[in-house]
């Protein structure tokens, strides 16, 4: 299924959490995430967030995050990943059709 890049969403994310743009996809966050074995790929979540993409996979896995902060603690760029996840959750709750084709 094709995905749609939402540039407005990306701009909103940068206002909400400016450190999100510092992600260079090293994967350290996913390595330490206790929920990665259940399907949460934090690196992929960050990539999609930075591209402004919300798809069905993201809608499901974003709720697996426990907010423990291990990802942020281990991030070499000190990205506030739990804030990025919070942003995506809020967008999905307030705009349930975001990223869905009409």
């Amino acid at each position: 299924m094709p995905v749609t890049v939402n540039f407005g969403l990306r701009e909103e994310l940068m206002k909400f959490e400016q450190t999100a743009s510092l992600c260079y996809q090293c994967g350290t966050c996913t390595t330490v995430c206790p929920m990665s074995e259940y399907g949460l790929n934090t690196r992929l979540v960050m990539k999609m967030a930075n591209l402004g993409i919300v798809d069905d996979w993201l809608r499901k896995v974003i709720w697996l995050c426990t907010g423990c902060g291990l990802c942020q603690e281990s991030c070499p760029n000190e990205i506030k990943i739990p804030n990025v996840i919070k942003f995506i959750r809020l967008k999905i709750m307030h705009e349930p059709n975001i990223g869905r084709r009409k």
Side-chain angles (χ1 to χ4, degrees):
M1 176 180 287
V3 293
T4 305
V5 175
N6 183 329
F7 295 105
L9 180 66
R10 186 184 188 293
E11 289 176 20
E12 285 182 56
L13 171 61
M14 293 309 131
K15 290 178 186 172
F16 186 87
E17 184 48 65
Q18 295 174 350
T19 65
S21 66
L22 300 174
C23 181
Y24 58 81
Q25 298 295 297
C26 68
T28 305
C29 53
T30 301
T31 304
V32 299
C33 178
M35 298 309 288
S36 63
E37 66 183 271
Y38 299 102
L40 180 59
N41 182 329
T42 316
R43 184 193 63 77
L44 185 54
V45 168
M46 289 299 298
K47 178 146 188 109
M48 292 175 76
N50 275 304
L51 291 172
I53 296 172
V54 175
D55 67 1
D56 290 339
W57 174 82
L58 186 62
R59 271 178 226 291
K60 293 175 191 170
V61 300
I62 202 71
W63 303 102
L64 293 174
C65 175
T66 63
C68 69
L70 288 174
C71 52
Q72 181 175 328
E73 288 177 22
S74 65
C75 179
N77 283 338
E78 300 176 353
I79 299 169
K80 296 177 182 157
I81 298 167
N83 284 354
V84 174
I85 290 176
K86 179 180 179 182
F87 170 81
I88 296 168
R89 286 176 174 173
L90 288 170
K91 291 306 287 183
I92 291 170
M93 286 190 313
H94 293 290
E95 298 176 42
N97 292 322
I98 191 165
R100 290 194 171 144
R101 291 186 171 258
K102 297 177 182 176

